[in-house]
Amino acid sequence: MAVSPVVDGGRFPASAAEGERVPLTVNAFREGHDAMGVQVRLRDPDGAESVLPLEPLNPGLDLWRGYAIPDRPGHWSFTVEAFSAPYATWAHVAEVKIPAGIDVDLVCAEGVQVLAPVIEEAEAGLRPASDATLARAAIDALRSHALGPQGRVAPALAADLAAVLRERPLREGVTTAGPYPLVVHRRRALFGSWYEFFPRSEGARFDPEHGGWRSGTFATAARSLDRIAAMGFDVAYLTPIHPIGTTFRKGRNNTLEVAEGDPGSPYAIGSPDGGHDAIHPDLGTMEDFDAFVGRAKELGLEVAMDIALQCSPDHPWVAEHPEWFVVRPDGSIAYAENPPKKYQDIYPLSFDTDYEGLYAAIRDMLELWVSHGVTLFRVDNPHTKPVRFWEELLAEFDEKHPEVIFLAEAFTRPTMMHTLGKVGFHQSYTYFTWRHTPEELSEYALELAEAAHYMRPSFWPTTHDILTPFMSGGGEAAFRLRAILAATLSPTWGIYSGYELVEDVPRPGAQEQIDNEKYEYKPRDYLGALRSGRSLEPLLTRLNTIRREHPSLQTLTDVTFHRADDPQVLVFSKHLPGEATPGGVADTVIVVSLTEHDRDSGTAVHLDLEALDVPGPFEVEDLLTGERFTWDADPFVILSAGSRPAHVLRIVREHA
């Protein structure tokens, strides 16, 4: 039997989230023509078991599918059981032979033989007594020669008995596979909206009297949390908050020319004020940080911290533990490089000399921040550290702090990205930023859906490191378009502060912003932009509201791509049946979107109505504008990059 979700033959547990509809698929077959069945025995963290029947996905081609919806976090497992189904085999024979008058007495005798175990199992307490009542009535009819052939078999083929034996089938020749591990994380591991910002920029000001900049603090940054929460974000993500070194400090735009007052990159961590376990003095104290976290929680926000496992030359570890770094032949410590880029202000860590000591130091540092209320970590460049380290560290945190979520910022080879997901990272940055055409986006989304049982994507249109040519060349239209796609294609998405202001000017020759915030303060007038109508805050707020109201957008695997006559228009839907939604009503969202920021389109769209679970003409509501339309399988849409880059539509399903 080929089984999914199984990761590397069970070497790693498959992953799911609380309340997620997890597809279970099995390729199972048997010899001969007799009927068979497949079911999954699901074991929860307390050891309680439930049985889930699987249905043929493509009858006759041996693929079976069902769904599990784990109701709480923890370590689950499942076992697959395939078996010969004697009742289904007999029922098929009876339905063929009895109307033709073939072997009537023999078929009825075989029916008695098939159904007798139902009574035996009920008497042994293995199934409800009501099952035996139905079976006895069916057996009595099968034995009655006073009835005609159809009357004799009718109770045995009746819907009530057939339903009972689908739910609790008679089984022979049971074959098992598993158990297979399934780790279930809290809901935020699957679904959430992140907002990234540099706390030192929030409230930063230029002081003309002293001729220099004054850093923002945790107190001023806390005032920004109200705006972030009002936009509907779930996670306030802070870039590094630690002391910054002065040796080889970088100036504006990553230059080696440092002006008086340049704050340096927060990724050059460590100074005489401390390292990864300390707070930059300009930001405040640990008590100030605790107050910041407390305010976030009051607003329903979680705090994510950026963890960059690297040090400035001034980090205390450099003097205390030189064995944690690479020493070159000339005696100097190797700094970070990604040719042609050079990061002279950063020393990478080396795990080769004192793995246990470095592991303990990093673990203890993370434990410190967890104790101060941090529940998520965005890990900078995890692919440059040993996979063994992450496997061991994430397993330890899964045991001690299962609520803590780790996001891998690994823009690297696909195999490494997938491996980091397998060893325990809850989420991963992706190549969405560089996927633009409908073909690229649909292929990538389906590729990610295939890997959803171990690698959950997080879609970001830009980051503090990345500003693609698409974004720098498209103005507000590009920013609107990519926000809509990121927010609807992926259950988890995020933006970097300034996105709402359409900050799109690149540094010449680089795919990043000019005057990069990594090297300077960047206070922003969000309120002024909002008042003047130059802000994307209303769109971001609306997108987050739509995502919260529609459970289909909180899934990754339930996506279908449809066709448009215009090859630059992307059409997809996400659908959840009623049994998988909190309200018990099916939820379907259709997105029809331009993928270019400089064009308009009038095009026919061709929808798979079966995937949408609608029989014919149906009503849709545009969740961005409130407009309602009546659609069929081939509606015509008009889109404009400047005014209507996309439809985000719900299928109107009234409560029964």
Side-chain angles (χ1 to χ4, degrees):
M1 289 185 285
V3 180
S4 177
V6 176
V7 182
D8 290 359
R11 164 69 175 82
F12 304 103
S15 297
E18 179 183 12
E20 181 180 6
R21 183 174 181 246
V22 182
L24 305 167
T25 59
V26 176
N27 187 260
F29 66 97
R30 60 157 297 164
E31 72 284 354
H33 301 290
D34 287 358
M36 64 173 292
V38 181
Q39 61 188 24
V40 164
R41 195 169 296 277
L42 185 67
R43 183 185 291 266
D44 71 18
D46 297 325
E49 289 188 346
S50 57
V51 176
L52 308 174
L54 273 58
E55 299 295 334
L57 184 59
N58 46 3
L61 295 180
D62 305 321
L63 191 62
W64 301 72
R65 183 174 66 188
Y67 295 93
I69 304 179
D71 59 4
R72 65 187 185 280
H75 284 262
W76 297 59
S77 67
F78 66 95
T79 300
V80 179
E81 299 174 337
F83 50 88
S84 179
Y87 172 77
T89 300
W90 175 83
H92 174 69
V93 170
E95 288 167 348
V96 172
K97 287 188 173 183
I98 295 300
I102 301 172
D103 298 334
V104 172
D105 287 339
L106 181 59
V107 169
C108 289
E110 289 171 341
V112 171
Q113 189 176 53
V114 165
L115 291 174
V118 176
I119 299 172
E120 295 169 4
E121 291 176 5
E123 291 174 346
L126 300 177
R127 61 170 63 237
S130 57
D131 291 8
T133 301
L134 292 173
R136 285 192 182 95
I139 289 173
D140 289 343
L142 289 167
R143 287 172 170 166
S144 174
H145 292 278
L147 299 172
Q150 294 283 11
R152 293 176 70 180
V153 299
L157 297 177
D160 52 358
L161 182 58
V164 161
L165 294 179
R166 276 196 303 271
E167 182 178 354
R168 293 178 290 277
L170 292 166
R171 308 188 309 162
E172 295 177 352
V174 178
T175 301
T176 65
Y180 299 104
L182 176 68
V183 59
V184 178
H185 302 120
R186 66 186 180 97
R187 189 71 179 171
R188 184 67 66 231
L190 172 68
F191 171 71
S193 304
W194 291 48
Y195 188 93
E196 174 196 359
F197 64 101
F198 286 68
R200 70 185 185 188
S201 289
E202 304 297 310
R205 59 186 178 85
F206 188 80
D207 186 346
E209 183 177 339
H210 294 89
W213 281 94
R214 294 292 179 265
S215 172
T217 66
F218 284 128
T220 58
R223 293 198 286 269
S224 299
L225 294 174
D226 292 83
R227 187 181 69 89
I228 295 169
M231 284 190 286
F233 287 94
D234 306 298
V235 179
Y237 151 41
L238 307 176
T239 53
I241 60 175
H242 315 296
I244 299 171
T246 56
T247 302
F248 297 120
R249 173 174 286 189
K250 293 298 184 74
R252 288 167 61 96
N253 289 310
N254 199 28
T255 67
L256 292 174
E257 299 177 5
V258 183
E260 182 68 27
D262 281 350
S265 169
Y267 291 89
I269 296 169
S271 79
D273 292 312
H276 288 76
D277 56 357
I279 289 173
H280 197 297
D282 288 353
L283 293 174
T285 65
M286 190 65 80
E287 288 73 23
D288 296 324
F289 178 76
D290 290 341
F292 175 89
V293 174
R295 178 56 181 158
K297 290 181 177 179
E298 289 175 0
L299 294 168
L301 290 165
E302 297 188 56
V303 174
M305 178 180 286
D306 203 325
I307 294 298
L309 297 181
Q310 59 203 29
C311 302
S312 88
D314 306 315
H315 196 293
W317 285 353
V318 175
E320 297 170 2
H321 294 282
E323 70 275 14
W324 292 353
F325 304 90
V326 174
V327 180
R328 297 185 294 191
D330 63 0
S332 62
I333 294 178
Y335 57 75
E337 293 185 81
N338 185 16
K341 294 181 179 180
K342 294 183 177 182
Y343 304 96
Q344 298 93 333
D345 56 339
I346 293 173
Y347 289 166
L349 293 167
S350 171
F351 291 77
D352 294 339
T353 305
D354 179 22
Y355 177 89
E356 289 76 13
L358 185 52
Y359 177 98
I362 294 170
R363 177 202 60 211
D364 293 348
M365 175 266 294
L366 293 172
E367 290 269 14
L368 169 70
W369 294 114
V370 170
S371 73
H372 285 274
V374 175
T375 53
L376 307 99
F377 293 104
R378 178 267 196 190
V379 180
D380 191 70
N381 286 329
H383 55 288
T384 61
K385 284 73 180 176
V387 172
R388 169 198 170 192
F389 166 76
W390 292 120
E391 183 175 3
E392 294 176 358
L393 183 79
L394 295 173
E396 183 170 347
F397 270 78
D398 178 61
E399 181 180 354
K400 294 180 179 178
H401 304 289
E403 77 283 0
V404 175
I405 292 169
F406 288 82
L407 167 63
E409 188 258 356
F411 294 110
T412 185
R413 300 181 305 279
T415 302
M416 175 58 84
M417 293 173 69
H418 284 253
T419 298
L420 291 170
K422 291 176 182 179
V423 301
F425 271 94
H426 303 78
Q427 297 176 353
S428 176
Y429 280 50
T430 65
Y431 299 129
F432 164 77
T433 317
W434 295 276
R435 300 292 191 265
H436 296 109
T437 70
E439 183 178 12
E440 290 172 340
L441 287 164
S442 59
E443 286 182 354
Y444 193 47
L446 291 174
E447 175 187 324
L448 291 171
E450 284 292 316
H453 54 284
Y454 63 84
M455 190 179 86
R456 299 187 191 92
S458 184
F459 279 11
W460 293 69
T462 68
T463 73
H464 64 267
D465 287 318
I466 300 169
L467 182 70
T468 62
F470 183 94
M471 302 302 290
S472 60
E476 182 176 314
F479 277 64
R480 286 183 175 275
L481 184 61
R482 295 297 284 183
I484 292 170
L485 290 173
T488 55
L489 272 171
S490 175
T492 294
W493 82 302
I495 65 159
Y496 160 50
S497 56
Y499 191 93
E500 55 270 62
L501 305 184
V502 192
E503 294 179 350
D504 63 351
V505 181
R507 182 164 62 87
Q511 288 193 28
E512 66 177 41
Q513 291 185 9
I514 198 167
D515 302 329
N516 194 299
E517 194 171 1
K518 286 192 296 184
Y519 309 106
E520 60 183 88
Y521 301 108
K522 187 171 283 190
R524 299 173 172 93
D525 184 10
Y526 294 110
L527 182 58
L530 185 62
R531 287 172 172 169
S532 64
R534 295 181 294 104
S535 173
L536 296 184
E537 280 193 27
L539 173 65
L540 302 178
T541 303
R542 185 62 193 145
L543 288 173
N544 283 330
T545 299
I546 292 169
R547 285 163 49 81
R548 286 184 174 177
E549 291 178 349
H550 289 276
S552 61
L553 294 179
Q554 301 170 24
T555 70
L556 182 64
T557 57
D558 295 282
V559 61
T560 300
F561 287 90
H562 308 264
R563 185 169 59 86
D565 287 347
D566 186 335
Q568 295 305 318
V569 170
L570 179 70
V571 187
F572 66 92
S573 63
K574 291 195 171 184
H575 169 75
L576 279 181
E579 61 266 24
T581 67
V585 177
D587 182 59
T588 310
V589 172
I590 305 170
V591 178
V592 184
S593 176
L594 292 170
T595 56
E596 295 180 340
H597 52 63
D598 57 355
R599 67 192 298 271
D600 300 337
S601 176
T603 182
V605 171
H606 307 288
L607 302 172
D608 179 349
L609 297 187
E610 183 178 353
L612 301 177
D613 190 27
V614 290
F618 56 97
E619 188 176 7
V620 293
E621 178 186 5
D622 193 319
L623 297 168
L624 296 175
T625 66
E627 298 167 284
R628 288 201 175 196
F629 311 95
T630 298
W631 275 19
D632 56 19
D634 303 289
F636 190 86
V637 300
I638 299 176
L639 301 174
S640 171
S643 59
R644 190 201 293 272
H647 285 295
V648 178
L649 305 149
R650 75 175 180 98
I651 292 181
V652 178
R653 301 178 190 269
E654 304 299 345
H655 290 264

